[in-house]
């Protein structure tokens, strides 16, 4: 039986995370993770077959920060907006140190390039599989594995999901 | 006034249901219903006019099990994944034996056939109208009516919503 | 720290609002607002640049009622259904008189005209920015600003978001 307080803390973390990305405040994005975190985006077919290859793989907060710097300074991509919906949050396990949770997501991508300006498409749907810990009372992702159903990615996957 | 505990029980049932389908654990799907249940998928135009015809109609748990067996052994269809989002849950009525609730859903369908592999589309949107009872303390659907806005169904409707 | 009771009241208001629109009970829609309310639909590019122009602007409940009368009696448009999903609700501020909240939404539009009958598309995604007050114990929108990512609107925007 999950306490309402714990459930609310997990919900708040997940919702703050998506608003950070949707607001394009990517510089704050690594702060949702612990120092020695794991963030991966994995196609569902790989997960279902036990294959390890990820589309995006970061195993420290420093790698997440590096990714943001690359996003701002090096990567070339069509400008766009993200909008996340998250649903069906389920706390599947908990002990005194860690909470395990799953949730479904959909990301809608709105183009900002001159040709497709203002049009919205379903960009990616899938599942978050999270391990959440509390660092000085603040909920953080120790691990966030994004399982993507949508393996045919429109254009590039440059912004984190 | 709905207690937080009751609301959480209803949310947990609805979220466990969609994860069961999205995980393709269909063999467990009938267990979310009571023995003498009613599960229907009805186009919204029929509901709005009081017309009774359903696209899918099962009025016992045995019929749901039969449907799953047909799905695994007899039906021919293009392989695909489902991903549900559920929102706007409202408990609209309750007495000591039954809870009545409504919620909105969207189902995204990702193709797994060789041509369209990995592409995602909005497959169906609509509403769940549920009557939920507690059997030995476990929440179950006595009745789940799926009202579909999307009456032009892409390919076939073989997997339950 | 937001109390569970306050959070539930805000959730209930937001979910009742979307079900009112999705049920096409538009005559009840102005009742979700205070007398001297502000309801605006603003493209995100305007918001991000501090530009004030709105696609829809109503600054009293009377203007909302007027909008509904126009919708029923004067406006010409292709018949359609809306279906809202709302996610990532965050109470961002509260004092004793007012709650400030943000949430993400997606609206799916199903066509009812003879050509496209029953097909569903992603019509609009974006964010609700709400100021909510309690009038005689009932939660109402003092202000609801709809920030739309999707600035290329399919056909017309006649039904409120």
């Amino acid at each position: 039986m999950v306490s309402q307080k714990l459930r609310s803390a997990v919900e708040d973390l997940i919702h703050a995370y998506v608003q950070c990305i949707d607001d394009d405040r990517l510089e704050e994005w690594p702060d949702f993770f612990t120092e020695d975190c794991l963030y991966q985006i994995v196609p569902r077919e790989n997960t279902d077959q036990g294959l390890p290859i990820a589309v995006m793989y970061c195993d420290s907060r420093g790698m997440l920060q590096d990714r943001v710097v690359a996003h701002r300074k090096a990567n070339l991509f069509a400008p766009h907006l993200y909008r996340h919906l998250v649903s069906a949050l389920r706390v599947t396990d908990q002990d005194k140190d860690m909470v395990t949770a799953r949730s479904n997501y959909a990301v809608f991508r709105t183009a900002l390039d001159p040709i497709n300006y203002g049009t919205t498409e379903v960009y990616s749907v899938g599942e978050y599989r999270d391990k959440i810990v509390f660092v000085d009372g603040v909920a953080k992702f120790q691990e966030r594995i994004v399982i993507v159903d949508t393996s045919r990615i429109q254009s590039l996957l440059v912004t984190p999901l």
Side-chain angles (χ1 to χ4, degrees), chain A:
Chain A
M1 191 61 195
V2 182
S3 76
Q4 189 55 46
K5 199 177 152 196
L6 182 66
R7 181 195 292 260
S8 293
V10 170
E11 274 187 18
D12 284 349
L13 172 65
I14 289 174
H15 292 162
Y17 173 100
V18 307
Q19 286 208 335
C20 170
I21 295 176
D22 293 353
D23 285 353
D24 192 29
R25 291 181 281 109
L26 290 183
E27 284 72 12
E28 301 170 28
W29 172 66
D31 294 337
F32 289 100
F33 293 85
T34 58
E35 272 293 332
D36 61 335
C37 61
L38 179 63
Y39 175 76
Q40 282 194 82
I41 302 177
V42 189
R44 179 153 163 188
E45 64 174 321
N46 288 16
T47 309
D48 287 353
Q49 295 177 88
L51 298 173
I53 298 292
V55 178
M56 206 184 273
Y57 182 98
C58 299
D59 64 1
S60 71
R61 195 194 282 157
M63 281 183 78
L64 298 173
Q65 286 159 343
D66 191 56
R67 182 134 212 123
V68 174
V69 172
H71 189 276
R72 295 296 191 210
K73 308 222 164 153
N75 298 343
L76 291 176
F77 54 90
H80 60 266
L81 302 170
Y82 269 9
R83 186 65 64 186
H84 287 69
L85 298 185
V86 182
S87 172
L89 174 64
R90 295 194 26 86
V91 173
T92 52
D93 196 23
Q94 61 172 323
D95 59 27
K96 70 181 171 37
D97 296 316
M98 191 181 289
V99 178
T100 307
R102 298 176 60 180
S103 50
N104 284 355
Y105 77 85
V107 173
F108 300 88
R109 186 178 176 280
T110 300
L112 296 181
D113 63 279
I115 306 296
N116 297 308
Y117 194 92
T119 57
T120 300
E121 61 181 7
V122 179
Y123 179 67
S124 180
V125 307
E127 189 184 352
Y128 291 126
R129 295 190 188 168
D130 299 323
K131 292 190 191 303
I132 294 161
V133 295
F134 290 83
V135 180
D136 302 332
V138 179
K140 305 250 181 196
F141 295 112
Q142 174 75 52
E143 194 176 297
R144 164 152 272 209
I145 313 294
V146 188
I147 313 290
V148 291
D149 293 357
T150 314
S151 54
R152 191 170 298 181
I153 293 164
Q154 297 297 329
S155 70
L156 300 167
L157 178 61
V158 285
T159 310
L161 294 173

